[in-house]
């Protein structure tokens, strides 16, 4: 029995399912190639229109190119030895691997193809292998685009003077991508973040109201979060910080993480405080001016509880 007869016998076994398979293949944009391997040769016995279309050829163009090249594996010629070697191992019972190959299309562009081979029929002298081929080019291009965007992000993080953070809403966990050059060094807190920094005194007592409002923004999934408060860091000192964050949502629209930055604004707040003090005092005497005195009296009256007494001493 020669190779052609063996092929006909093996192909006959697939004949009944061929129509349904071809229809499925065309609809799924998955190409099929069937190769008969014997100890002496390898021959492509079927190639679907989808494979040709992915590579930019008509079926007729591809058949002519393959015929003129003298290689059964025209589009896979760079991998011919490898495929034949794997087929010989499959004859011994070894499973064929799933791999990705870079193929050139009609325009000379690279197409990434995921190829999975399966022995669909065997004979005394050979095997018929069916390869499912899926075009993964768009996936690889997207992956490369993501890699470049990640690289850009990493560069931005590296050159930024701010402390970059990632807050996991579901697990109430805070992670920092790098340490700041402005003294804002902080350790990761993998759980109960807001309880920890509150209970361990990391927030200035006078800023607790701001802290609680900011906590609710972060946990509640507000799109843009912002706060200015005093927070203690690894140097055990309170620093004025400005926190800006953006919420990231999952595919179902649920708030997932908050990505943002923490900026040291000690210098800015010191300047603002100095300007405030200068605006409250008389430039000649250095004493509080008339309006400041009135504002402070009113503030103290608002803070005074019922039954308490206040004393105003005026020295002239």
């Amino acid at each position: 029995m020669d190779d052609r007869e063996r092929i006909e016998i093996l192909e006959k076994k697939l004949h009944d399912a061929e129509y349904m398979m071809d229809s499925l293949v065309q609809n799924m944009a998955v190409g099929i190639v069937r190769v008969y391997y014997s100890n002496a040769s390898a021959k492509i016995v079927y190639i679907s229109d989808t494979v040709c279309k992915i590579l930019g050829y008509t079926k007729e163009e591809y058949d002519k190119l393959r015929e003129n090249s003298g290689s059964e594996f025209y589009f896979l010629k760079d991998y011919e030895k490898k495929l034949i070697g794997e087929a010989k191992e499959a004859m011994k019972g070894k499973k064929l691997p799933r791999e990705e190959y870079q193929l050139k299309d009609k325009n000379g562009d690279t197409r990434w193809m995921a190829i999975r081979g399966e022995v669909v029929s065997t004979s005394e002298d050979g095997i018929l292998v069916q390869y499912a081929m899926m075009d993964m080019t768009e996936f690889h291009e997207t992956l490369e685009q993501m890699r470049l965007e990640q690289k850009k992000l990493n560069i931005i993080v590296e050159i930024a003077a701010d402390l970059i953070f990632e807050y996991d809403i579901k697990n109430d966990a805070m992670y920092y991508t790098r340490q700041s050059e402005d003294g804002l060094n902080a350790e990761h807190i993998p759980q109960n973040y807001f309880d920890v920094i509150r209970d361990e005194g990391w927030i200035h007592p006078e800023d607790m109201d701001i802290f609680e409002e900011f906590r609710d923004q972060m946990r509640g999934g507000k799109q843009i979060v912002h706060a200015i408060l005093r927070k203690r860091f690894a140097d055990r000192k309170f620093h004025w910080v400005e926190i800006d964050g953006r919420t990231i949502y999952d595919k179902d629209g649920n708030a997932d993480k908050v990505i943002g930055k923490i900026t040291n604004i000690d210098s800015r707040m010191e300047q603002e405080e100095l300007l405030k003090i200068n605006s409250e005092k008389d430039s000649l005497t250095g004493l509080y001016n008339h309006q400041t005195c009135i504002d402070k009296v009113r503030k103290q009256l608002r803070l005074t509880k019922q039954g308490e007494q206040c004393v105003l001493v005026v020295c002239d």
Side-chain angles (χ1 to χ4, degrees), residues 107-135:
N107 297 323
D109 297 325
T110 299
R111 310 295 300 183
W112 281 91
M113 301 291 287
I115 300 177
R116 176 69 178 268
E118 183 178 356
V119 177
V120 293
S121 191
T122 61
S123 71
E124 212 174 279
D125 300 310
I127 58 173
L128 183 65
V129 175
Q130 180 166 280
Y131 294 98
M133 304 178 63
M134 181 177 291
D135 187 1

Side-chain angles (χ1 to χ4, degrees), residues 27-227:
N27 291 332
M28 291 179 62
V30 176
I32 293 293
V33 176
R34 297 191 191 115
V35 184
Y36 174 74
Y37 295 96
S38 68
N39 292 324
S41 65
K43 184 175 180 62
I44 292 181
V45 296
Y46 173 79
I47 182 167
S48 70
D49 290 338
T50 304
V51 175
C52 299
K53 186 177 179 181
I54 290 172
L55 297 174
Y57 298 103
T58 64
K59 189 75 174 291
E60 292 73 21
E61 285 176 328
Y62 176 75
D63 287 339
K64 188 174 181 180
L65 285 168
R66 190 179 66 176
E67 183 180 333
N68 293 339
S69 72
S71 171
E72 284 291 319
F73 289 85
Y74 174 71
F75 64 96
L76 284 167
K77 57 187 176 183
D78 294 337
Y79 306 101
E80 183 171 354
K81 290 181 179 179
K82 187 174 188 301
L83 289 168
I84 291 175
E86 292 172 353
K88 287 181 177 179
E89 291 297 315
M91 291 179 189
K92 301 174 184 177
K94 188 174 180 180
K95 190 175 182 180
L96 290 166
R98 179 191 184 280
E99 299 179 283
E100 287 192 5
Y101 295 140
Q102 297 181 60
L103 309 181
K104 294 293 184 181
D105 64 15
K106 186 177 181 179
N107 297 323
D109 297 325
T110 299
R111 310 295 300 183
W112 281 91
M113 301 291 287
I115 300 177
R116 176 69 178 268
E118 183 178 356
V119 177
V120 293
S121 191
T122 61
S123 71
E124 212 174 279
D125 300 310
I127 58 173
L128 183 65
V129 175
Q130 180 166 280
Y131 294 98
M133 304 178 63
M134 181 177 291
D135 187 1
M136 302 293 289
T137 306
E138 187 175 345
F139 171 77
H140 278 271
E141 289 174 349
T142 302
L143 213 60
E144 177 63 13
Q145 185 178 357
M146 290 173 62
R147 186 190 69 81
L148 292 174
E149 291 300 322
Q150 184 62 50
K151 189 174 182 180
K152 292 178 187 176
L153 178 60
N154 290 343
I155 292 172
I156 292 171
V157 168
E158 287 174 7
I159 64 177
D162 304 318
L163 182 63
I164 308 299
F165 71 84
E166 176 184 317
Y167 175 66
D168 186 329
I169 297 174
K170 181 179 179 181
N171 297 307
D172 193 16
M174 178 67 81
Y175 301 97
Y176 301 96
T177 57
R178 65 184 292 274
Q179 301 302 314
S180 167
E181 297 176 359
D182 291 335
L184 305 186
N185 298 322
E187 298 294 329
H188 302 316
I189 300 178
Q191 58 184 0
N192 303 323
Y193 169 70
F194 283 106
D195 291 342
V196 169
I197 64 171
R198 179 196 62 204
D199 297 343
E200 296 186 5
W202 293 93
I203 301 299
H204 196 285
E206 294 179 7
D207 296 333
M208 288 305 298
D209 289 344
I210 299 173
F211 164 74
E212 289 176 0
E213 182 181 350
F214 176 68
R215 175 198 61 196
D216 294 342
Q217 289 180 9
M218 293 273 276
R219 286 178 171 174
K222 187 177 179 181
Q223 186 176 5
I224 298 174
V225 298
H226 178 266

